[in-house]
């Protein structure tokens, strides 16, 4: 398996970095409020110009027909720029549309997503409960000729800007995936009260589509986290080389250089694991376990790099004026979107029942 980055992927990453430098707003994670930033249409339009939202979809559906490794290269550049855009959310929603929607609806939504006129967003999480792709609070009722949904989804990032919502709901046949028009709300809580919706799938087909869509979104989250870690390491090594203590730069203290080397080793481990997961995501059938393992590895690397970056910056690392604290907060958000380390390990553990038990104490 070739882990080298192609010239095309390097050019794509450079194009994304360039367009973000030109178009990114001044709000790059350093807002006075602790709330996540709202959707930045100018920033998103800059990514549309480079074709990033359409990389994963086939040309027949209006996309560019690239692969997950190409999208991962772009996502890493997004993470390194320190911006927040609904890239992973659009991948999950688009993957559900691609897998479940009728051909005409699929081509319309994915084509408009590529062109920037549509913003499909998944609404999967439910308030006051641990993450699970299986819905319990939102239920679906079938009428004579339509379906309605009732319940609450939250948080739903970028819901006010969404043109389409992909909502999971409990049906008599199991989990269902539904397509809704824009919520028209102003917050990240989606309250459904007998809201009309279009059924895309229910039962095993919906479960499979959800698992695979979340796996694709997980690869994007890992790639963004790699970019954030890369920037955090860069800021840390620069600080060690310029900050002086006792008449010497911090980089001259061996203990600190060893800790920086540990950060670098964890970054490279996360990078190679993410690339492997991206290459596996391009294969069919998709092996979700590859992505879950990558998310576990990236979570560990993100925790170490974020904590070490703040520690080695000292007090300045936790001030609102310095970027390193915001980067660490972003890493925390990325590694806890659609599950955390514990939930990924728990899911992986359910698939080792074919191994014989081992008696440790005999």
């Amino acid at each position: 398996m070739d882990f080298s980055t192609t010239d095309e992927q390097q050019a794509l990453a450079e194009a994304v970095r360039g367009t973000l430098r030109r178009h990114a707003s001044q709000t790059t994670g350093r807002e006075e409020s602790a709330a996540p930033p709202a959707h930045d249409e100018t920033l998103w339009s800059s990514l549309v110009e480079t074709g990033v939202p359409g990389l994963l979809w086939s040309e027949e559906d209006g996309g560019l027909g690239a692969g997950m490794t190409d999208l991962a290269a772009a996502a890493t550049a997004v993470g390194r720029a320190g911006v927040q855009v609904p890239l992973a959310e659009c991948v999950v929603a688009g993957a559900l549309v691609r897998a479940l929607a009728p051909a005409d609806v699929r081509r319309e939504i994915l084509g408009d997503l590529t062109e920037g006129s549509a913003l499909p967003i998944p609404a999967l999480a439910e308030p006051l409960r641990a993450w699970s792709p299986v819905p319990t609070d939102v239920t679906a009722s079938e009428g004579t000729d339509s379906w309605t949904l009732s319940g609450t989804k939250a948080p739903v990032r970028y819901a006010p800007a969404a043109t389409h919502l992909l909502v999971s709901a409990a049906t008599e046949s199991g989990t269902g995936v539904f397509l809704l028009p824009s919520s028209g709300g102003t917050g990240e809580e989606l309250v459904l009260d007998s809201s009309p919706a279009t059924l895309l799938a229910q039962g095993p087909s919906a479960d499979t589509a959800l698992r695979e869509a979340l796996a694709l979104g997980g690869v994007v989250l890992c790639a963004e986290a790699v970019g954030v870690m890369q920037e955090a390491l860069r800021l840390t090594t620069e600080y060690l080389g310029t900050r002086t203590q006792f008449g010497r730069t911090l980089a001259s203290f061996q203990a600190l250089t060893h800790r920086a080397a540990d950060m670098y080793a964890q970054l490279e481990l996360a990078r190679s694991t993410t690339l492997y997961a991206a290459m596996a995501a391009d294969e069919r059938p998709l092996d979700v376990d590859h992505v879950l393992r990558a998310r576990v590895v990236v979570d560990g690397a993100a925790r170490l790099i974020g904590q070490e970056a703040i520690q080695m910056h000292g007090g300045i690392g936790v001030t609102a004026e310095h970027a390193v604290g915001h980067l660490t907060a972003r890493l925390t958000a990325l590694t806890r979107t659609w599950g955390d380390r514990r939930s990924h390990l728990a899911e992986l553990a359910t698939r080792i029942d074919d191994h014989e038990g081992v008696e440790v104490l005999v």
Side-chain angles (χ1 to χ4, degrees), residues 67-88:
M68 180 55 76
T69 52
D70 301 306
L71 182 59
T76 300
V78 170
R80 189 173 182 182
V83 298
Q84 297 189 42
V85 292
L87 184 56

mmCIF file with all atom_site columns, all heavy atoms in Angstrom, residues 67-88:
data_model
loop_
_atom_site.group_PDB
_atom_site.id
_atom_site.type_symbol
_atom_site.label_atom_id
_atom_site.label_alt_id
_atom_site.label_comp_id
_atom_site.label_asym_id
_atom_site.label_entity_id
_atom_site.label_seq_id
_atom_site.pdbx_PDB_ins_code
_atom_site.Cartn_x
_atom_site.Cartn_y
_atom_site.Cartn_z
_atom_site.occupancy
_atom_site.B_iso_or_equiv
_atom_site.pdbx_formal_charge
_atom_site.auth_seq_id
_atom_site.auth_comp_id
_atom_site.auth_asym_id
_atom_site.auth_atom_id
_atom_site.pdbx_PDB_model_num
ATOM 1   N N   . GLY A 1 67 ? -11.488 10.692 -4.884 1.00 0.00 ? 67 GLY A N   1
ATOM 2   C CA  . GLY A 1 67 ? -11.548 9.683  -3.836 1.00 0.00 ? 67 GLY A CA  1
ATOM 3   C C   . GLY A 1 67 ? -11.423 10.289 -2.458 1.00 0.00 ? 67 GLY A C   1
ATOM 4   O O   . GLY A 1 67 ? -11.187 11.497 -2.296 1.00 0.00 ? 67 GLY A O   1
ATOM 5   N N   . MET A 1 68 ? -11.544 9.434  -1.446 1.00 0.00 ? 68 MET A N   1
ATOM 6   C CA  . MET A 1 68 ? -11.460 9.897  -0.078 1.00 0.00 ? 68 MET A CA  1
ATOM 7   C C   . MET A 1 68 ? -10.065 10.397 0.273  1.00 0.00 ? 68 MET A C   1
ATOM 8   O O   . MET A 1 68 ? -9.912  11.315 1.082  1.00 0.00 ? 68 MET A O   1
ATOM 9   C CB  . MET A 1 68 ? -11.870 8.770  0.871  1.00 0.00 ? 68 MET A CB  1
ATOM 10  C CG  . MET A 1 68 ? -11.833 9.142  2.349  1.00 0.00 ? 68 MET A CG  1
ATOM 11  S SD  . MET A 1 68 ? -12.802 10.608 2.764  1.00 0.00 ? 68 MET A SD  1
ATOM 12  C CE  . MET A 1 68 ? -14.458 9.924  2.699  1.00 0.00 ? 68 MET A CE  1
ATOM 13  N N   . THR A 1 69 ? -9.021  9.840  -0.337 1.00 0.00 ? 69 THR A N   1
ATOM 14  C CA  . THR A 1 69 ? -7.673  10.332 -0.052 1.00 0.00 ? 69 THR A CA  1
ATOM 15  C C   . THR A 1 69 ? -7.505  11.775 -0.530 1.00 0.00 ? 69 THR A C   1
ATOM 16  O O   . THR A 1 69 ? -6.803  12.568 0.103  1.00 0.00 ? 69 THR A O   1
ATOM 17  C CB  . THR A 1 69 ? -6.614  9.436  -0.721 1.00 0.00 ? 69 THR A CB  1
ATOM 18  O OG1 . THR A 1 69 ? -6.921  9.291  -2.116 1.00 0.00 ? 69 THR A OG1 1
ATOM 19  C CG2 . THR A 1 69 ? -6.587  8.057  -0.076 1.00 0.00 ? 69 THR A CG2 1
ATOM 20  N N   . ASP A 1 70 ? -8.152  12.124 -1.641 1.00 0.00 ? 70 ASP A N   1
ATOM 21  C CA  . ASP A 1 70 ? -8.109  13.512 -2.117 1.00 0.00 ? 70 ASP A CA  1
ATOM 22  C C   . ASP A 1 70 ? -8.851  14.428 -1.148 1.00 0.00 ? 70 ASP A C   1
ATOM 23  O O   . ASP A 1 70 ? -8.373  15.520 -0.810 1.00 0.00 ? 70 ASP A O   1
ATOM 24  C CB  . ASP A 1 70 ? -8.721  13.616 -3.507 1.00 0.00 ? 70 ASP A CB  1
ATOM 25  C CG  . ASP A 1 70 ? -8.014  12.737 -4.517 1.00 0.00 ? 70 ASP A CG  1
ATOM 26  O OD1 . ASP A 1 70 ? -6.789  12.854 -4.653 1.00 0.00 ? 70 ASP A OD1 1
ATOM 27  O OD2 . ASP A 1 70 ? -8.685  11.916 -5.173 1.00 0.00 ? 70 ASP A OD2 1
ATOM 28  N N   . LEU A 1 71 ? -10.029 13.978 -0.710 1.00 0.00 ? 71 LEU A N   1
ATOM 29  C CA  . LEU A 1 71 ? -10.799 14.780 0.237  1.00 0.00 ? 71 LEU A CA  1
ATOM 30  C C   . LEU A 1 71 ? -10.050 14.927 1.559  1.00 0.00 ? 71 LEU A C   1
ATOM 31  O O   . LEU A 1 71 ? -10.087 15.985 2.186  1.00 0.00 ? 71 LEU A O   1
ATOM 32  C CB  . LEU A 1 71 ? -12.166 14.144 0.463  1.00 0.00 ? 71 LEU A CB  1
ATOM 33  C CG  . LEU A 1 71 ? -13.114 14.891 1.400  1.00 0.00 ? 71 LEU A CG  1
ATOM 34  C CD1 . LEU A 1 71 ? -13.393 16.301 0.882  1.00 0.00 ? 71 LEU A CD1 1
ATOM 35  C CD2 . LEU A 1 71 ? -14.421 14.122 1.566  1.00 0.00 ? 71 LEU A CD2 1
ATOM 36  N N   . ALA A 1 72 ? -9.348  13.868 1.997  1.00 0.00 ? 72 ALA A N   1
ATOM 37  C CA  . ALA A 1 72 ? -8.587  13.944 3.237  1.00 0.00 ? 72 ALA A CA  1
ATOM 38  C C   . ALA A 1 72 ? -7.473  14.979 3.138  1.00 0.00 ? 72 ALA A C   1
ATOM 39  O O   . ALA A 1 72 ? -7.178  15.693 4.107  1.00 0.00 ? 72 ALA A O   1
ATOM 40  C CB  . ALA A 1 72 ? -8.015  12.572 3.585  1.00 0.00 ? 72 ALA A CB  1
ATOM 41  N N   . ALA A 1 73 ? -6.841  15.068 1.978  1.00 0.00 ? 73 ALA A N   1
ATOM 42  C CA  . ALA A 1 73 ? -5.793  16.079 1.786  1.00 0.00 ? 73 ALA A CA  1
ATOM 43  C C   . ALA A 1 73 ? -6.367  17.484 1.926  1.00 0.00 ? 73 ALA A C   1
ATOM 44  O O   . ALA A 1 73 ? -5.761  18.365 2.548  1.00 0.00 ? 73 ALA A O   1
ATOM 45  C CB  . ALA A 1 73 ? -5.137  15.900 0.420  1.00 0.00 ? 73 ALA A CB  1
ATOM 46  N N   . ALA A 1 74 ? -7.555  17.699 1.364  1.00 0.00 ? 74 ALA A N   1
ATOM 47  C CA  . ALA A 1 74 ? -8.205  19.007 1.482  1.00 0.00 ? 74 ALA A CA  1
ATOM 48  C C   . ALA A 1 74 ? -8.631  19.278 2.914  1.00 0.00 ? 74 ALA A C   1
ATOM 49  O O   . ALA A 1 74 ? -8.491  20.396 3.423  1.00 0.00 ? 74 ALA A O   1
ATOM 50  C CB  . ALA A 1 74 ? -9.408  19.074 0.542  1.00 0.00 ? 74 ALA A CB  1
ATOM 51  N N   . ALA A 1 75 ? -9.167  18.253 3.601  1.00 0.00 ? 75 ALA A N   1
ATOM 52  C CA  . ALA A 1 75 ? -9.618  18.428 4.977  1.00 0.00 ? 75 ALA A CA  1
ATOM 53  C C   . ALA A 1 75 ? -8.459  18.758 5.907  1.00 0.00 ? 75 ALA A C   1
ATOM 54  O O   . ALA A 1 75 ? -8.612  19.542 6.855  1.00 0.00 ? 75 ALA A O   1
ATOM 55  C CB  . ALA A 1 75 ? -10.343 17.173 5.455  1.00 0.00 ? 75 ALA A CB  1
ATOM 56  N N   . THR A 1 76 ? -7.286  18.168 5.658  1.00 0.00 ? 76 THR A N   1
ATOM 57  C CA  . THR A 1 76 ? -6.111  18.483 6.467  1.00 0.00 ? 76 THR A CA  1
ATOM 58  C C   . THR A 1 76 ? -5.734  19.948 6.319  1.00 0.00 ? 76 THR A C   1
ATOM 59  O O   . THR A 1 76 ? -5.376  20.618 7.300  1.00 0.00 ? 76 THR A O   1
ATOM 60  C CB  . THR A 1 76 ? -4.929  17.586 6.063  1.00 0.00 ? 76 THR A CB  1
ATOM 61  O OG1 . THR A 1 76 ? -5.285  16.212 6.264  1.00 0.00 ? 76 THR A OG1 1
ATOM 62  C CG2 . THR A 1 76 ? -3.691  17.898 6.885  1.00 0.00 ? 76 THR A CG2 1
ATOM 63  N N   . ALA A 1 77 ? -5.826  20.473 5.105  1.00 0.00 ? 77 ALA A N   1
ATOM 64  C CA  . ALA A 1 77 ? -5.545  21.891 4.883  1.00 0.00 ? 77 ALA A CA  1
ATOM 65  C C   . ALA A 1 77 ? -6.561  22.771 5.593  1.00 0.00 ? 77 ALA A C   1
ATOM 66  O O   . ALA A 1 77 ? -6.220  23.827 6.136  1.00 0.00 ? 77 ALA A O   1
ATOM 67  C CB  . ALA A 1 77 ? -5.546  22.190 3.379  1.00 0.00 ? 77 ALA A CB  1
ATOM 68  N N   . VAL A 1 78 ? -7.823  22.339 5.623  1.00 0.00 ? 78 VAL A N   1
ATOM 69  C CA  . VAL A 1 78 ? -8.857  23.081 6.348  1.00 0.00 ? 78 VAL A CA  1
ATOM 70  C C   . VAL A 1 78 ? -8.536  23.105 7.837  1.00 0.00 ? 78 VAL A C   1
ATOM 71  O O   . VAL A 1 78 ? -8.621  24.153 8.495  1.00 0.00 ? 78 VAL A O   1
ATOM 72  C CB  . VAL A 1 78 ? -10.243 22.461 6.103  1.00 0.00 ? 78 VAL A CB  1
ATOM 73  C CG1 . VAL A 1 78 ? -11.283 23.058 7.047  1.00 0.00 ? 78 VAL A CG1 1
ATOM 74  C CG2 . VAL A 1 78 ? -10.677 22.666 4.657  1.00 0.00 ? 78 VAL A CG2 1
ATOM 75  N N   . GLY A 1 79 ? -8.168  21.949 8.391  1.00 0.00 ? 79 GLY A N   1
ATOM 76  C CA  . GLY A 1 79 ? -7.828  21.898 9.807  1.00 0.00 ? 79 GLY A CA  1
ATOM 77  C C   . GLY A 1 79 ? -6.632  22.761 10.148 1.00 0.00 ? 79 GLY A C   1
ATOM 78  O O   . GLY A 1 79 ? -6.627  23.451 11.183 1.00 0.00 ? 79 GLY A O   1
ATOM 79  N N   . ARG A 1 80 ? -5.632  22.763 9.287  1.00 0.00 ? 80 ARG A N   1
ATOM 80  C CA  . ARG A 1 80 ? -4.425  23.546 9.560  1.00 0.00 ? 80 ARG A CA  1
ATOM 81  C C   . ARG A 1 80 ? -4.726  25.044 9.533  1.00 0.00 ? 80 ARG A C   1
ATOM 82  O O   . ARG A 1 80 ? -4.073  25.826 10.237 1.00 0.00 ? 80 ARG A O   1
ATOM 83  C CB  . ARG A 1 80 ? -3.352  23.199 8.538  1.00 0.00 ? 80 ARG A CB  1
ATOM 84  C CG  . ARG A 1 80 ? -1.998  23.803 8.856  1.00 0.00 ? 80 ARG A CG  1
ATOM 85  C CD  . ARG A 1 80 ? -0.921  23.313 7.919  1.00 0.00 ? 80 ARG A CD  1
ATOM 86  N NE  . ARG A 1 80 ? 0.370   23.874 8.274  1.00 0.00 ? 80 ARG A NE  1
ATOM 87  C CZ  . ARG A 1 80 ? 1.493   23.655 7.612  1.00 0.00 ? 80 ARG A CZ  1
ATOM 88  N NH1 . ARG A 1 80 ? 1.489   22.854 6.545  1.00 0.00 ? 80 ARG A NH1 1
ATOM 89  N NH2 . ARG A 1 80 ? 2.624   24.197 8.001  1.00 0.00 ? 80 ARG A NH2 1
ATOM 90  N N   . ALA A 1 81 ? -5.726  25.448 8.733  1.00 0.00 ? 81 ALA A N   1
ATOM 91  C CA  . ALA A 1 81 ? -6.075  26.867 8.654  1.00 0.00 ? 81 ALA A CA  1
ATOM 92  C C   . ALA A 1 81 ? -6.826  27.353 9.890  1.00 0.00 ? 81 ALA A C   1
ATOM 93  O O   . ALA A 1 81 ? -7.003  28.553 10.067 1.00 0.00 ? 81 ALA A O   1
ATOM 94  C CB  . ALA A 1 81 ? -6.920  27.114 7.405  1.00 0.00 ? 81 ALA A CB  1
ATOM 95  N N   . GLY A 1 82 ? -7.265  26.423 10.735 1.00 0.00 ? 82 GLY A N   1
ATOM 96  C CA  . GLY A 1 82 ? -7.945  26.823 11.963 1.00 0.00 ? 82 GLY A CA  1
ATOM 97  C C   . GLY A 1 82 ? -9.352  27.332 11.759 1.00 0.00 ? 82 GLY A C   1
ATOM 98  O O   . GLY A 1 82 ? -9.867  28.087 12.597 1.00 0.00 ? 82 GLY A O   1
ATOM 99  N N   . VAL A 1 83 ? -10.005 26.937 10.667 1.00 0.00 ? 83 VAL A N   1
ATOM 100 C CA  . VAL A 1 83 ? -11.363 27.387 10.390 1.00 0.00 ? 83 VAL A CA  1
ATOM 101 C C   . VAL A 1 83 ? -12.347 26.250 10.628 1.00 0.00 ? 83 VAL A C   1
ATOM 102 O O   . VAL A 1 83 ? -11.965 25.077 10.667 1.00 0.00 ? 83 VAL A O   1
ATOM 103 C CB  . VAL A 1 83 ? -11.493 27.899 8.943  1.00 0.00 ? 83 VAL A CB  1
ATOM 104 C CG1 . VAL A 1 83 ? -10.588 29.095 8.721  1.00 0.00 ? 83 VAL A CG1 1
ATOM 105 C CG2 . VAL A 1 83 ? -11.170 26.799 7.935  1.00 0.00 ? 83 VAL A CG2 1
ATOM 106 N N   . GLN A 1 84 ? -13.613 26.611 10.770 1.00 0.00 ? 84 GLN A N   1
ATOM 107 C CA  . GLN A 1 84 ? -14.664 25.619 10.951 1.00 0.00 ? 84 GLN A CA  1
ATOM 108 C C   . GLN A 1 84 ? -15.671 25.744 9.825  1.00 0.00 ? 84 GLN A C   1
ATOM 109 O O   . GLN A 1 84 ? -16.296 26.792 9.645  1.00 0.00 ? 84 GLN A O   1
ATOM 110 C CB  . GLN A 1 84 ? -15.355 25.793 12.307 1.00 0.00 ? 84 GLN A CB  1
ATOM 111 C CG  . GLN A 1 84 ? -14.432 25.574 13.488 1.00 0.00 ? 84 GLN A CG  1
ATOM 112 C CD  . GLN A 1 84 ? -15.180 25.526 14.802 1.00 0.00 ? 84 GLN A CD  1
ATOM 113 O OE1 . GLN A 1 84 ? -16.247 24.929 14.898 1.00 0.00 ? 84 GLN A OE1 1
ATOM 114 N NE2 . GLN A 1 84 ? -14.622 26.161 15.824 1.00 0.00 ? 84 GLN A NE2 1
ATOM 115 N N   . VAL A 1 85 ? -15.809 24.677 9.064  1.00 0.00 ? 85 VAL A N   1
ATOM 116 C CA  . VAL A 1 85 ? -16.757 24.614 7.956  1.00 0.00 ? 85 VAL A CA  1
ATOM 117 C C   . VAL A 1 85 ? -17.483 23.268 8.019  1.00 0.00 ? 85 VAL A C   1
ATOM 118 O O   . VAL A 1 85 ? -16.963 22.306 8.585  1.00 0.00 ? 85 VAL A O   1
ATOM 119 C CB  . VAL A 1 85 ? -16.040 24.761 6.586  1.00 0.00 ? 85 VAL A CB  1
ATOM 120 C CG1 . VAL A 1 85 ? -15.473 26.158 6.417  1.00 0.00 ? 85 VAL A CG1 1
ATOM 121 C CG2 . VAL A 1 85 ? -14.944 23.716 6.438  1.00 0.00 ? 85 VAL A CG2 1
ATOM 122 N N   . PRO A 1 86 ? -18.677 23.169 7.444  1.00 0.00 ? 86 PRO A N   1
ATOM 123 C CA  . PRO A 1 86 ? -19.467 21.927 7.541  1.00 0.00 ? 86 PRO A CA  1
ATOM 124 C C   . PRO A 1 86 ? -19.038 20.858 6.541  1.00 0.00 ? 86 PRO A C   1
ATOM 125 O O   . PRO A 1 86 ? -19.875 20.246 5.874  1.00 0.00 ? 86 PRO A O   1
ATOM 126 C CB  . PRO A 1 86 ? -20.894 22.413 7.262  1.00 0.00 ? 86 PRO A CB  1
ATOM 127 C CG  . PRO A 1 86 ? -20.722 23.582 6.361  1.00 0.00 ? 86 PRO A CG  1
ATOM 128 C CD  . PRO A 1 86 ? -19.454 24.266 6.822  1.00 0.00 ? 86 PRO A CD  1
ATOM 129 N N   . LEU A 1 87 ? -17.732 20.601 6.451  1.00 0.00 ? 87 LEU A N   1
ATOM 130 C CA  . LEU A 1 87 ? -17.243 19.639 5.471  1.00 0.00 ? 87 LEU A CA  1
ATOM 131 C C   . LEU A 1 87 ? -17.617 18.210 5.864  1.00 0.00 ? 87 LEU A C   1
ATOM 132 O O   . LEU A 1 87 ? -18.181 17.456 5.059  1.00 0.00 ? 87 LEU A O   1
ATOM 133 C CB  . LEU A 1 87 ? -15.732 19.777 5.310  1.00 0.00 ? 87 LEU A CB  1
ATOM 134 C CG  . LEU A 1 87 ? -15.072 18.897 4.244  1.00 0.00 ? 87 LEU A CG  1
ATOM 135 C CD1 . LEU A 1 87 ? -15.710 19.133 2.880  1.00 0.00 ? 87 LEU A CD1 1
ATOM 136 C CD2 . LEU A 1 87 ? -13.576 19.157 4.182  1.00 0.00 ? 87 LEU A CD2 1
ATOM 137 N N   . ALA A 1 88 ? -17.313 17.816 7.096  1.00 0.00 ? 88 ALA A N   1
ATOM 138 C CA  . ALA A 1 88 ? -17.656 16.458 7.531  1.00 0.00 ? 88 ALA A CA  1
ATOM 139 C C   . ALA A 1 88 ? -19.164 16.254 7.539  1.00 0.00 ? 88 ALA A C   1
ATOM 140 O O   . ALA A 1 88 ? -19.661 15.177 7.184  1.00 0.00 ? 88 ALA A O   1
ATOM 141 C CB  . ALA A 1 88 ? -17.084 16.202 8.919  1.00 0.00 ? 88 ALA A CB  1
#
